[in-house]
Amino acid sequence: MNPRSSEDLFDLAPVVPVVVLSDAADAVPMARALVAGGLPAVEVTLRTEAALGAIERIAAEVPDAVVGAGTVTTPEQAERAAAAGAGFLVSPGCTAGLYEAMAATGLPTLPGVSTASEAMALLERGATALKFFPAEAAGGRAYLTSLAGPLPQVRFCPTGGVTAASAPDYLALPNVGCVGGTWLTPADALAAGDWERVGQLASEAAALAPAR
């Protein structure tokens, strides 16, 4: 079920849950709840020691999930995430070296940008699917609207400050393929193992897909 290209990531679901896990044991029930709610793509951020183990478990035990590694900031992290079974890679920003390492894995990638110049630099390398981060702090919907004119071939996944309330406005933009959000997996729900709540939030988010 893993996407073959970066653009394919946009077709999986309107919202990609951005998850921080402190316990790899939570990975499988969380992923199953998200998938059941209609969100098959799950971005596990490499911000904790449990992250790679969580990716391994989801990849092995939740076949309907497409698990990716987020917060990839070094070539080594890209390699280790790929080895753990990640189906895609996401970075908060991007350098030439990091992009080369991510591309070398053969996995779909969403390299992060926050300016037109950064987007153009990646466009020169053939990347047309990008992460826009931090979305709200970097200009939000208005900034992405401004980029649509000069860079019509680029599509974005805005992440950072996006909420259930603001997601529909982002998704209505022609150059937005999906959004990334942390609201799908609240810390208190993860701590309590409240997978029913996670599934409900996922179901509500899955329904945000706009008519094109």
Side-chain angles (χ1 to χ4, degrees):
M1 185 179 174
N2 281 348
R4 290 174 293 179
S5 71
S6 300
E7 287 74 13
D8 287 344
L9 292 170
F10 295 142
D11 297 326
L12 294 175
V15 180
V16 176
V18 179
V19 184
V20 179
L21 287 174
S22 58
D23 188 347
D26 292 333
V28 169
M30 177 208 66
R32 286 175 176 160
L34 291 170
V35 170
L39 301 182
V42 182
E43 178 187 332
V44 177
T45 62
L46 301 183
R47 301 181 187 182
T48 67
E49 293 183 1
L52 288 173
I55 290 170
E56 288 181 348
R57 293 192 182 193
I58 295 171
E61 301 180 44
V62 192
D64 291 332
V66 180
V67 61
T71 320
V72 177
T73 59
T74 68
E76 180 187 11
Q77 285 182 326
E79 295 165 2
R80 293 181 67 190
F88 63 95
L89 304 175
V90 185
S91 65
C94 204
T95 64
L98 179 59
Y99 181 75
E100 290 173 4
M102 292 170 68
T105 66
L107 296 175
T109 64
L110 291 176
V113 301
S114 61
T115 69
S117 294
E118 291 169 352
M120 290 169 63
L122 286 165
L123 187 59
E124 286 183 351
R125 292 175 170 267
T128 57
L130 307 176
K131 174 179 178 175
F132 180 56
F133 178 84
E136 284 292 292
R141 187 175 182 274
Y143 194 85
L144 287 173
T145 300
S146 298
L147 291 182
L151 302 176
Q153 65 274 63
V154 181
R155 294 176 75 198
F156 298 92
C157 175
T159 306
V162 180
T163 66
S166 63
D169 289 337
Y170 278 103
L171 291 167
L173 297 178
N175 60 343
V176 168
C178 65
V179 301
T182 59
W183 80 87
L184 289 308
T185 53
D188 59 340
L190 293 180
D194 190 351
W195 311 124
E196 182 177 354
R197 181 182 173 197
V198 170
Q200 179 59 38
L201 290 170
S203 179
E204 293 169 1
L208 295 177
R212 296 294 191 192

